[in-house]
């Protein structure tokens, strides 16, 4: 009788262990799903490229740590991004890793919380040359006699020449400057296009003394029909 009882207890303990294991597996699976990163996207301005993502839907996911990998399309092996391995931030700088601007790139992120790892969340394909946003030019204005001289400088990439200077975006694209003038006496929101071309210095003439003018500019890429945002306003009052 005692032997039967011992066998029954052993069987019961075994069943309870299996049940506990099954529950833990289900709980871990739920946690894996709930902390999985969402909306994994590349953001890029002048080839300064970062990967962004959102936390999983569980409230606890905000305390997760994240792990980032990347590769070029066609490669079989994912590479770890060491600076973004086990981080709490939801942004990872991949400027160096996407420096081959003509090639399509991928990245993926996984989360970890309480020893549980989520599945990987994959980004869409990203080709820097086609998808980076071009920033506005730098604008300097000097007023003269009924005129304004505008000096323009193209935005610069993060990549450097051998001498150390950053390479301008005009080296990668056929870009045009578009320059607009705003007559604050008439309408502070009305921009009039006064120049489109590649000259870095232009002179706007036949302006009225005593009037406040502002200049804004942007870059335009005819091949892809892309425009940058406007530059900040540079204003002056003609004497």
């Amino acid at each position: 009788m005692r032997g039967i009882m011992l066998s029954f207890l052993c069987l019961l303990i075994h069943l309870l262990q299996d049940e506990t294991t099954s529950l833990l597996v289900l709980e871990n699976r739920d946690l894996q799903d709930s902390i999985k990163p969402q909306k994994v996207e590349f953001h890029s301005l002048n080839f300064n490229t970062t990967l962004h993502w959102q936390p999983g839907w569980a409230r606890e996911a905000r305390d997760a740590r994240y792990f980032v990998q990347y590769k070029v399309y066609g490669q079989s092996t994912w590479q770890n991004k060491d600076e973004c391995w086990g981080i709490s931030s939801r942004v990872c700088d991949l400027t160096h890793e996407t420096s081959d601007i003509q090639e399509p790139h991928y990245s993926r992120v996984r989360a970890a919380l309480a020893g549980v790892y989520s599945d990987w969340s994959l980004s869409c394909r990203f080709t820097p040359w086609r998808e980076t946003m071009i920033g506005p030019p730098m604008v300097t204005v000097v007023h003269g006699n009924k005129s304004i001289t505008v000096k323009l400088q193209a935005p610069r990439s993060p990549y450097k020449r051998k001498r150390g200077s950053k390479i301008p975006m005009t080296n990668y694209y056929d870009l045009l400057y578009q320059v607009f003038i705003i007559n604050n006496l008439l309408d502070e929101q009305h921009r009039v296009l006064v120049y489109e071309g590649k000259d870095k210095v232009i002179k706007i003439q036949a302006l009225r003394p005593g009037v406040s003018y502002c200049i804004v500019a942007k870059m335009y890429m005819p091949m892809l029909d892309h425009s940058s945002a406007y530059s900040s306003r540079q204003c002056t009052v003609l004497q």
Side-chain angles (χ1 to χ4, degrees), residues 194-207:
V194 291
Y195 175 77
E196 180 177 276
K198 296 185 178 183
D199 293 341
K200 296 179 180 178
V201 179
I202 65 166
K203 191 171 186 179
I204 307 170
Q205 303 189 82
L207 301 176

Side-chain angles (χ1 to χ4, degrees), residues 1-56:
M1 185 68 179
R2 186 178 177 183
I4 295 173
M5 288 295 295
L6 287 173
S7 298
F8 177 75
L9 285 172
C10 288
L11 178 61
L12 183 60
I13 291 170
H14 183 70
L15 290 172
L16 287 172
Q17 287 176 337
D18 285 349
E19 185 69 19
T20 302
T21 301
S22 298
L23 287 172
L24 287 173
V25 169
L26 288 173
E27 287 176 3
N28 285 351
R29 184 72 253 179
D30 288 343
L31 184 58
Q32 283 179 316
D33 293 340
S34 68
I35 65 173
K36 184 178 179 181
Q38 308 293 312
K39 297 181 179 179
V40 180
E41 299 173 340
F42 283 97
H43 294 188
S44 185
L45 177 66
N46 301 327
F47 299 134
N48 292 282
T49 301
T50 51
L51 189 73
H52 296 244
W53 59 91
Q54 296 296 320

Side-chain angles (χ1 to χ4, degrees), residues 137 150-154 175-179 195-203 219:
V150 181
K151 298 179 181 180
L152 302 160
Q153 182 177 306
L175 296 174
L176 303 177
Y177 295 105
Q178 292 182 332
V179 179
Y195 175 77
E196 180 177 276
K198 296 185 178 183
D199 293 341
K200 296 179 180 178
V201 179
I202 65 166
K203 191 171 186 179
M219 306 302 300

Side-chain angles (χ1 to χ4, degrees), residues 64-84:
R65 295 283 172 168
Y66 298 100
F67 303 82
V68 176
Q69 293 184 328
Y70 62 92
K71 70 174 183 175
V72 175
Y73 177 73
Q75 292 180 343
S76 58
T77 305
W78 289 93
Q79 304 293 322
N80 295 344
K81 172 64 174 176
D82 291 339
E83 295 82 357
C84 303

